[in-house]
Amino acid sequence: MDTENKAPESKNFIEQIIDKDLEEGRFDHVQTRFPPEPNGYLHIGHAKSILLNYGIAWEYDGKFNLRFDDTNPAKEDEEFVESIKNDVKWLGVDWEDRCFFSSDYFDQMYEAAVKLIKKGKAYVCDLSAEEIKESRGWADKPGTESPYRDRSVEENLDLFERMKNGEFADGEKVLRAKIDMSSPNMNMRDPVIYRVAHLTHHNTGDKWCIYPMYDFAHPIEDAIEGISHSICTLEFEDHRPLYDWVVNELEYDQPPRQVEFAKLYLTNVVTGKRYIKQLVEEGIVDGWDDPRLVSIAALRRRGYTPESIRMFVDLCGVSKSNSSVDYAMLEYCIREDLNLSKPRYMAVLDPVKVIIDNYPEDEEEWLDAPNNVKNEELGSRKIPFCKELYIERTDFMEDPPKKYFRLFPGNEVRLMNAYFVKCVDYKKDESGKVTEIHVTYDPETKSGSGFTGRKVKGTIHWVSAKHAVKAEARLYENLVDEEKGVLDEDGNLNLNPNSLEVLDNCYVEPALAEVKPEDKFQFMRNGFFCADMHDHTKEKPVFNRIVSLKSSFKLPKND
């Protein structure tokens, strides 16, 4: 490879910081982590953080930790722990043997708090949460020091130990860092670092009745684990001085460095855990992995692939400025991933019967069909053909407009991978709905026969009525009413009443009877689909539409 004229590799600002830190000897290794709270399912925004942290560790031949921030037992659950592990692993991320919990370090955090008290850097405060809030002041007004700020080291040590021993009620006392009540950064105005909470913890049981606050626990965890770069989102930028204060006051040898990047925002989607929990509890969606959501579990159930999500995250890039990305970009990525890699089958979602009048009554043929005309490596399959078929209802019109090239009285079309057929008659029920279409076929026009006698403008797909497998198709649209936006003036969700359409009278070709949950494919002319990971069975196939075939979305051109 010619390397002399190779363009210099473009690095994002985080990689540039890491390069400088390694060059100057601030760190001799790179170690990152992803620290989710186990209080809900991960969503597409978390995927960016996971892949960014893991990707940097991989790039620098470093290590990556998965660590659960389980400092608030009131909201945490083992279900969420397992779901997060599954999601991270599904994305292709390997934490090896480094899966940790904040609660693994509760003893060390307690000792760290004692160390701060002994240094005169922390004190027990009796003010209520509301009084602490009022005393903090405003951005342009200094806070007021707590009347308990000057308690002696001995008194603070005694009270803190009694807090640990369960002598005080929830909210009766807290431990606060002693920093600066006049700091322009509100996070530095004597923040609470421990509170009393008589709660059973999913990991430590009833051992503790005091729990550390996130801003105190997080830097300690990073320092204990040897994290070099604590890569987090921009809302933690104002928390960085407190992060640095904690690791410096506790005198860690090689304190980690916090670096912030912009969150990933998708337009017109619901990501807030509070709103998703509400949707689940009210039965509007059928769980945290409902395919209309953008939790990682929901995207997986919808049919998205890890490769498509990684492509999406790469396209979004790493930035210091918040911005929103069109959901259509995510759809673009899954189309790109599936278009050449998955087989294409025929499925009729809204069927109407077609009878070939001049086809022998008891005859059937097994015709050759390519699995993907754009990828010969996927091979071919046999599809059955007989006298009675199903086609899409929209592929027939009694009185069509101009440039309608599908089936109508007197018109001839090609049945995909089969023959030319010409409409000669049709029947309707009492309501005027077409129930039966009669055609004749030309046996000389069989696909692959080399027939050149005449051409037709329309090609439609079909399935053999005799061999078809009945199935259910679920057509998903955005859960949010895109014209109104996510929330109304009162903070309520603007939901799309047509976000799910269930078609339970579909017919698919017999090859689809053998697919397994999470298998993906294209239904010709109908979109990309997957077999539902929960509800699909061989006896009752259920298919989710991942995405339609076409979109107006275009990738922005690079200048």
Side-chain angles (χ1 to χ4, degrees), residues 226-291:
I227 300 303
S228 61
H229 296 84
S230 177
I231 302 169
C232 55
T233 46
L234 278 178
E235 71 263 32
F236 292 102
E237 188 170 28
D238 289 342
H239 297 248
R240 193 199 315 155
L242 177 55
Y243 182 101
D244 292 340
W245 183 90
V246 170
V247 293
N248 289 329
E249 289 294 340
L250 293 175
E251 303 171 39
Y252 288 105
D253 291 336
Q254 196 175 44
R257 174 172 183 164
Q258 180 173 304
V259 183
E260 306 86 17
F261 68 97
K263 266 187 174 181
L264 172 56
Y265 291 100
L266 271 183
T267 56
N268 292 322
V269 299
V270 180
T271 55
K273 292 175 183 176
R274 175 169 66 90
Y275 292 112
I276 296 176
K277 184 179 179 183
Q278 176 187 338
L279 292 170
V280 172
E281 291 177 348
E282 293 178 2
I284 296 171
V285 297
D286 69 356
W288 288 81
D289 65 349
D290 185 292

Side-chain angles (χ1 to χ4, degrees), residues 26 82 141 164 184 235 263 301 355 440 445 463-464:
R26 178 169 180 170
E82 293 306 312
K141 178 184 176 184
K164 176 177 74 85
E235 71 263 32
K263 266 187 174 181
R301 185 177 175 190
I355 300 173
T440 57
T445 59
V463 292
S464 162

Side-chain angles (χ1 to χ4, degrees), residues 94-114:
D94 183 7
W95 60 82
E96 297 176 310
D97 59 348
R98 293 180 301 281
C99 178
F100 305 114
F101 292 82
S102 298
S103 53
D104 295 337
Y105 312 120
F106 279 175
D107 287 294
Q108 289 135 296
M109 290 176 195
Y110 179 80
E111 292 303 321
V114 169

Side-chain angles (χ1 to χ4, degrees), residues 485-500:
V486 178
L487 300 175
D488 63 19
E489 295 179 354
D490 298 322
N492 298 313
L493 292 169
N494 287 318
L495 297 177
N496 172 13
N498 302 312
S499 61
L500 171 60

Side-chain angles (χ1 to χ4, degrees), residues 167-191:
E167 292 186 30
F168 304 111
D170 293 3
E172 189 174 348
K173 295 184 188 299
V174 296
L175 184 69
R176 297 175 69 178
K178 186 188 288 188
I179 308 179
D180 183 1
M181 290 302 292
S182 62
S183 171
N185 187 328
M186 301 292 284
N187 296 295
M188 301 295 282
R189 295 186 183 181
D190 289 13

Side-chain angles (χ1 to χ4, degrees), residues 249-467:
E249 289 294 340
L250 293 175
E251 303 171 39
Y252 288 105
D253 291 336
Q254 196 175 44
R257 174 172 183 164
Q258 180 173 304
V259 183
E260 306 86 17
F261 68 97
K263 266 187 174 181
L264 172 56
Y265 291 100
L266 271 183
T267 56
N268 292 322
V269 299
V270 180
T271 55
K273 292 175 183 176
R274 175 169 66 90
Y275 292 112
I276 296 176
K277 184 179 179 183
Q278 176 187 338
L279 292 170
V280 172
E281 291 177 348
E282 293 178 2
I284 296 171
V285 297
D286 69 356
W288 288 81
D289 65 349
D290 185 292
R292 290 167 289 180
L293 300 173
V294 290
S295 66
I296 295 174
L299 291 169
R300 177 180 180 179
R301 185 177 175 190
R302 176 82 171 254
Y304 280 82
T305 61
E307 293 80 6
S308 67
I309 293 176
R310 290 198 290 267
M311 183 193 305
F312 175 67
V313 168
D314 286 344
L315 288 174
C316 290
V318 181
S319 170
K320 284 283 285 185
S321 301
N322 284 325
S323 60
S324 294
V325 178
D326 196 327
Y327 187 85
M329 183 189 283
L330 182 59
E331 295 180 323
Y332 165 86
C333 292
I334 188 62
R335 288 191 190 95
E336 286 292 297
D337 185 44
L338 299 181
N339 190 38
L340 296 179
S341 64
K342 299 301 177 184
R344 301 177 179 185
Y345 295 111
M346 294 195 287
V348 176
L349 306 187
D350 184 14
V352 60
K353 181 169 283 189
V354 171
I355 300 173
I356 307 174
D357 292 341
N358 62 333
Y359 195 87
E361 192 74 34
D362 299 322
E363 187 172 330
E364 66 179 53
E365 299 176 68
W366 287 82
L367 306 174
D368 291 317
N371 286 329
N372 188 325
V373 293
K374 293 186 177 181
N375 184 356
E376 294 182 358
E377 293 182 2
L378 291 183
S380 63
R381 68 191 185 284
K382 295 288 187 178
I383 53 175
F385 184 85
C386 61
K387 186 178 182 71
E388 295 188 358
L389 315 170
Y390 291 115
I391 67 168
E392 294 286 357
R393 187 167 294 277
T394 53
D395 282 341
F396 173 81
M397 292 188 73
E398 299 175 67
D399 185 19
K402 289 183 178 179
K403 296 187 178 180
Y404 180 86
F405 300 124
R406 285 168 274 175
L407 205 57
F408 56 87
N411 192 45
E412 190 174 43
V413 300
R414 174 175 286 285
L415 294 176
M416 193 175 289
N417 302 307
Y419 299 95
F420 287 8
V421 295
K422 183 177 182 179
C423 178
V424 295
D425 197 8
Y426 60 94
K427 295 181 180 180
K428 299 193 291 185
D429 61 18
E430 294 178 353
S431 67
K433 184 177 182 179
V434 175
T435 58
E436 205 172 271
I437 302 166
H438 287 261
V439 301
T440 57
Y441 90 115
D442 183 348
E444 300 297 321
T445 59
K446 186 176 182 178
S447 290
S449 66
F451 174 79
T452 57
R454 61 187 182 280
K455 294 182 178 180
V456 292
K457 292 184 177 180
T459 299
I460 63 177
H461 68 280
W462 51 275
V463 292
S464 162
K466 179 180 177 181
H467 304 86

